[in-house]
Amino acid sequence: MRREDVQPLLLETVDLLPDPNLADAAWADGLALRRTHRRIVLICVLTVIALAILTSVLIEIS
């Protein structure tokens, strides 16, 4: 196969591929980021509550 034959074949192959839907990809990335943010906030809140309970127990003991 000659070098000149490759470019038209590549263009023909690319034409057969579906176009990527960038809006769907951006939406999915946004949802993943939101889930990660919610998870981090939830872990921080639970940690603060656990530390408050631990502190109150230690104050009552001493």
Side-chain angles (χ1 to χ4, degrees), residues 5-26:
D5 296 337
V6 173
Q7 187 68 24
L9 288 175
L10 285 175
L11 291 175
E12 181 180 329
T13 304
V14 168
D15 286 339
L16 297 176
L17 293 174
D19 291 331
N21 192 342
L22 298 179
D24 287 342

Side-chain angles (χ1 to χ4, degrees), residues 21-35 38:
N21 192 342
L22 298 179
D24 287 342
W27 185 266
D29 287 345
L31 286 178
L33 184 64
R34 185 184 305 168
R35 286 186 194 117
R38 283 184 186 167

Side-chain angles (χ1 to χ4, degrees), residues 1 4 7 9 20-22 42-45 47 49-50 55 60:
M1 180 174 282
E4 296 81 23
Q7 187 68 24
L9 288 175
N21 192 342
L22 298 179
L42 178 64
I43 289 170
C44 289
V45 168
T47 303
I49 291 172
T55 303
E60 288 296 321

